Amino acid sequence: LPDGSPDLSFGVDGALVIDLPAHVFKGRKIEERPDGGLLISGSATTAGPNPELVVVSLHEDGTLDTGFAGQGWVAVDATADPLSIWVDLTIGSLALLPGERIAVLARYCNCIAIIQAPDWLPRFADVPFDHWAHAFVEKLAAAEVTAGCGNENYCPTAPVTRAQMAVFLERGMNGSGFNPPPASGSVFLDVAANDFAAEFIEQLYADGITSGCGNNNYCPDEIVSRDQMAVFLLRAKYGSGYSPPAPTGAFGDIPLNHWAAAWIEQLAAESITAGCGGGNYCPDAEVTRDQMAVFLVRAFAL
């Protein structure tokens, strides 16, 4: 601790002995994990012919993170130099990468290893650990409801279109493996059979969750607003025949005669949303992809 006394919450009385069976381990660098745990990188000699790159993963209290490589540590065989290997102490010898990966560099053998890590590393480059919706985006991805927007990104601030929403809702309701029947292209005038998400849009219609945006159209490229999302979510959760209780005036910007007041208040009553701050809900604001992650995870307990 800063005053020089042992941190009794770490290991045993502030000290930790790490035993790696059949390995003589030399730790070279300690890196803090995004969640407060520790990564220790270094080298090891074994009974085999080659030295190894080693990474040990610890929780904040010093216990081994057994979710990492199934045992809390991983060793990667390094064959370039059978005489001497150690992980460089300079910057870059241990790096956290997008896509839940760790890069480990060894200096003298010119070796680098990329190691897959568990979910305490950000899955997406643009949703780091300190992003307000990080946990929800990770859960949505873990449930395989989304794979992001490409290039190891999630695009958290991008608005959600009505076409994207159809995919989100149907997979939220039915699971990641759900594939609706092929689209006919005859349900909405503006959704052809080979359009993006056409089969999900037509399934959303078949489930009674949407009737489109009027005049036999669905408006797939329009952005979903927060009041519309309240209706869509609750219908997806409870079925097309669901009707929420009468509103009481829970949000300052939602008058009792607002067309979606009852739906919005029910969404809040179920702790799916707390509004947008200051006692408001911001019904006309666009739903962004990070907000969508929160809505879906809470609504469907993903």
Side-chain angles (χ1 to χ4, degrees):
L1 297 175
D3 63 0
S5 62
D7 178 2
L8 301 182
S9 67
F10 180 83
V12 179
D13 295 332
L16 177 68
V17 176
I18 302 172
D19 182 21
L20 306 184
H23 287 71
V24 180
F25 176 59
K26 294 182 180 180
R28 298 294 185 182
K29 185 176 181 183
I30 297 177
E31 183 83 16
E32 184 180 10
R33 296 187 340 191
D35 63 349
L38 297 175
L39 290 174
I40 304 172
S41 66
S43 63
T45 57
T46 68
N50 302 312
E52 295 176 327
L53 294 167
V54 176
V55 176
V56 179
S57 181
L58 303 176
H59 293 303
E60 192 170 4
D61 62 359
T63 56
L64 277 173
D65 173 17
T66 55
F68 180 71
Q71 58 186 358
W73 60 278
V74 65
V76 181
D77 192 36
T79 60
D81 183 353
L83 299 177
S84 175
I85 179 174
W86 57 282
V87 175
D88 192 4
L89 295 175
T90 61
I91 295 175
S93 62
L94 181 65
L96 308 185
L97 306 179
E100 298 182 302
R101 294 171 299 167
I102 301 169
V104 187
L105 174 67
R107 180 179 182 182
Y108 289 131
C109 72
N110 295 321
C111 301
I112 187 169
I114 305 296
I115 299 169
Q116 200 69 22
D119 58 8
W120 44 258
L121 277 178
R123 192 182 304 257
F124 301 109
D126 56 356
V127 187
F129 188 78
D130 58 356
H131 187 283
W132 73 271
H134 168 82
F136 294 95
V137 172
E138 291 289 335
K139 286 181 179 180
L140 200 67
E144 297 182 349
V145 174
T146 182
C149 60
N151 298 319
E152 296 183 340
N153 290 317
Y154 179 73
C155 304
T157 59
V160 177
T161 66
R162 288 170 59 89
Q164 294 169 348
M165 179 201 64
V167 180
F168 277 132
L169 289 179
E170 286 293 337
R171 286 186 173 159
M173 287 187 291
N174 299 299
S176 62
F178 176 70
N179 288 307
S184 66
S186 61
V187 176
F188 296 109
L189 297 176
D190 57 352
V191 181
N194 60 349
D195 284 351
F196 166 72
E199 64 274 28
F200 288 92
I201 292 169
E202 292 191 5
Q203 186 63 46
L204 207 66
Y205 173 81
D207 290 338
I209 296 171
T210 184
S211 58
C213 60
N215 298 319
N216 293 323
N217 291 316
Y218 179 75
C219 306
D221 297 325
E222 283 191 3
I223 306 303
V224 182
S225 61
R226 287 171 58 86
D227 51 7
Q228 294 169 350
M229 183 55 66
V231 180
F232 284 131
L233 272 174
L234 290 175
R235 281 183 176 164
K237 183 176 181 180
Y238 294 117
S240 59
Y242 176 73
S243 182
T248 61
F251 293 105
D253 58 350
I254 306 293
L256 293 178
N257 61 352
H258 186 284
W259 71 273
W263 302 86
I264 292 169
E265 290 196 11
Q266 184 60 28
L267 210 65
E270 297 187 20
S271 299
I272 298 173
T273 183
C276 60
N280 294 319
Y281 179 75
C282 304
D284 299 323
E286 298 176 342
V287 175
T288 55
R289 286 172 59 88
D290 48 10
Q291 295 172 357
M292 189 71 187
V294 179
F295 283 141
L296 288 170
V297 169
R298 287 178 172 168
F300 300 111
L302 298 176

